[in-house]
Amino acid sequence: MLPEKLSNGLCSLNPQVERLAMVADMAISMTGDIKSYRFYPAVIWSHARLTYTQVAAALYDKDPAVRNELAALLPHLENLDQLFRVLLKARAKRGAIDFETTETRMIFDDNGKIAQIVPEVRNDAHRLIEECMLAANVCASDFLASREHPALYRVHDSPSEDKLAKLREFLKEFGLGLGGGDEPRAGDFAKLLEQVRDRPDAQLLQTVMLRSLKQAMYSPDNVGHFGLAYESYTHFTSPIRRYPDLLIHRGIKAALAGEQYRPGDWEQIGLHCSMTERRADDATRDVVAFLKCYFMQDRVGEIFTGSVSAVVSFGLFVALDDIFIEGLLHISDLGSDYFHYDETRHALLGERTGKQFRLSDRVKVQLVRVDMATNKIDFRLIEGPLAVEKPVAVVEETPAPHLGVRAERQGRLPTRQRWRPSSWQHRPRRLPWRSPSRQGRRGRSLPPCRPKK
């Protein structure tokens, strides 16, 4: 992201002031097809700065007070909503993947401490803007590609063979299958998502599907965007918020002038922008982790209910209900059994009892430790797995969600690799109980089987 003074100042469409802009002017049919488009520099005068909540209240909740307040803008907003419905149908026809994840927002008190962590409710006003942004991004990509002008594309490659094989093996346990053969398309994922949407284990299946996908990145090699089902895609926004957007704007301006923008080695620029994007994500997670630890440090000893948000060789990560905070339930705190890690099934399996813990299982845990120095939270198991009482809420590391729309608005796809600090992996483990079958000759215990890597 550009510095806040720029992104929220000169590069922001503040109301009642003139701002320079690059316009993507599109003609879209009633079926959602972009028939034609053109780009041109312009000066824009924004009439109002609206919030998603305001627009949703006016368009969808039909709130009389809000509609009266926005009376002069309502005809334009209602026309835009009609366009949104058309683009939404085209999206479904195209077969874009539509993951639903939970994003959160922190509410701070006067002392700068977290007073509450609440889920960010996503409404159709968000989706309206997102669909318009996607249309502009596609046109920007096509504009530069058709003129054979180098560009930094936002690429999302198809899943690897290994990931697909593991996903299909996992789905077989539920009597499900992923279509598309050896080369499934985004539409095959979308169909499966629709098929499982109303199942009680929908969150589990969705999470495993999400983690089978690759991560999006910036590259001059246009391999398309698998998740959004686009053959060509890039990041173009007006106003500019990210450096890759700025490169696209410069490229479009150069192409309009019949010139070519040459910032240097596009390959290296793409790698650098992808790296800085992940670095910014890591910094954000570190700050959020610190604030959440600060919020929880006075609640040691309390008991919470949550869902298993990740299964790793050294334990379970548990996302707590309502407060959306995640911590580690170490494998040594799961009981006296010896647990084997099954990566394909996303499970820990008890050797003696057969007890298993799987992704999205419900558990009751006690908060036993908050380490402010390392930003870590530890739990111990009280009870679990529990019977499912309500829809599972799994917290994603990055606001992300909704593959390729909310995530692309933030400039990234959801992160599938969970936070795994190395010091957690090397916590001492309790010696497991050994059954007679594990006794060697002369009563000597055989060494325990190591978890599968």
Side-chain angles (χ1 to χ4, degrees), residues 131-409:
E131 289 300 327
C132 292
M133 288 175 63
L134 290 179
N137 289 345
V138 170
C139 290
S141 178
D142 183 74
F143 178 83
L144 292 171
S146 63
R147 285 159 178 75
E148 298 183 351
H149 190 291
L152 209 57
Y153 296 97
R154 183 65 169 178
V155 298
H156 183 223
D157 209 350
S158 56
S160 67
E161 292 182 7
D162 180 56
K163 290 279 189 179
L164 283 175
K166 289 180 179 179
L167 174 61
R168 287 196 162 103
E169 186 177 343
F170 176 81
L171 292 173
K172 281 181 183 178
E173 295 187 26
F174 299 84
L176 298 169
L178 176 67
D182 295 335
E183 297 183 359
R185 297 178 178 272
D188 297 309
F189 278 81
K191 288 177 183 177
L192 182 56
L193 277 175
E194 187 61 33
Q195 183 181 345
V196 305
R197 195 173 300 279
D198 296 327
R199 291 173 54 124
D201 54 4
Q203 186 65 56
L204 164 64
L205 297 168
Q206 174 180 285
T207 303
V208 175
M209 290 171 64
L210 175 61
R211 293 178 184 176
S212 72
L213 301 177
K214 292 183 179 179
Q215 196 166 24
M217 62 180 294
Y218 294 105
S219 172
D221 300 322
N222 182 21
V223 299
H225 198 293
F226 180 83
L228 293 174
Y230 284 134
E231 292 183 1
S232 184
Y233 186 75
T234 193
H235 276 162
F236 166 90
T237 57
S238 186
I240 303 166
R241 293 298 175 92
R242 295 166 294 228
Y243 188 70
D245 304 347
L246 181 60
L247 295 176
I248 295 301
H249 278 242
R250 289 172 176 170
I252 290 174
K253 287 181 179 178
L256 288 173
E259 302 171 355
Q260 191 172 85
Y261 175 53
R262 294 183 175 86
D265 187 335
W266 285 95
E267 185 72 32
Q268 290 302 314
I269 292 173
L271 292 172
H272 177 76
C273 288
S274 298
M275 180 276 293
T276 54
E277 175 189 29
R278 284 148 182 68
R279 186 177 64 187
D281 290 344
D282 290 340
T284 300
R285 281 192 290 271
D286 286 345
V287 172
V288 170
F290 172 81
L291 291 172
K292 287 183 175 180
C293 285
Y294 190 71
F295 177 70
M296 295 293 285
Q297 65 179 342
D298 298 327
R299 306 185 69 172
V300 173
E302 291 188 30
I303 294 175
F304 303 89
T305 302
S307 304
V308 176
S309 56
V311 181
V312 291
S313 61
F314 53 92
L316 310 171
F317 283 92
V318 177
L320 304 182
D321 295 343
D322 302 325
I323 57 177
F324 305 97
I325 285 177
E326 193 176 63
L328 176 72
L329 176 56
H330 196 266
I331 197 169
S332 62
D333 292 317
L334 295 180
S336 59
D337 204 348
Y338 192 93
F339 287 86
H340 295 271
Y341 174 49
D342 189 330
E343 183 180 8
T344 301
R345 299 179 63 213
H346 299 267
L348 288 176
L349 308 174
E351 180 180 285
R352 175 174 58 88
T353 62
K355 188 174 185 179
Q356 69 172 353
F357 292 90
R358 301 189 67 175
L359 190 68
S360 86
D361 275 351
R362 305 282 293 158
V363 292
K364 185 177 290 185
V365 296
Q366 182 181 38
L367 177 62
V368 295
R369 187 173 73 101
V370 176
D371 191 336
M372 294 299 299
T374 57
N375 295 339
K376 296 170 187 170
I377 294 174
D378 283 331
F379 300 123
R380 77 175 182 89
L381 183 66
I382 298 298
E383 185 182 356
L386 306 173
V388 178
E389 300 170 352
K390 63 179 183 177
V392 176
V394 176
V395 178
E396 294 295 330
E397 271 190 357
T398 57
H402 194 316
L403 178 64
V405 177
R406 274 183 300 171
E408 286 295 355
R409 188 179 72 233

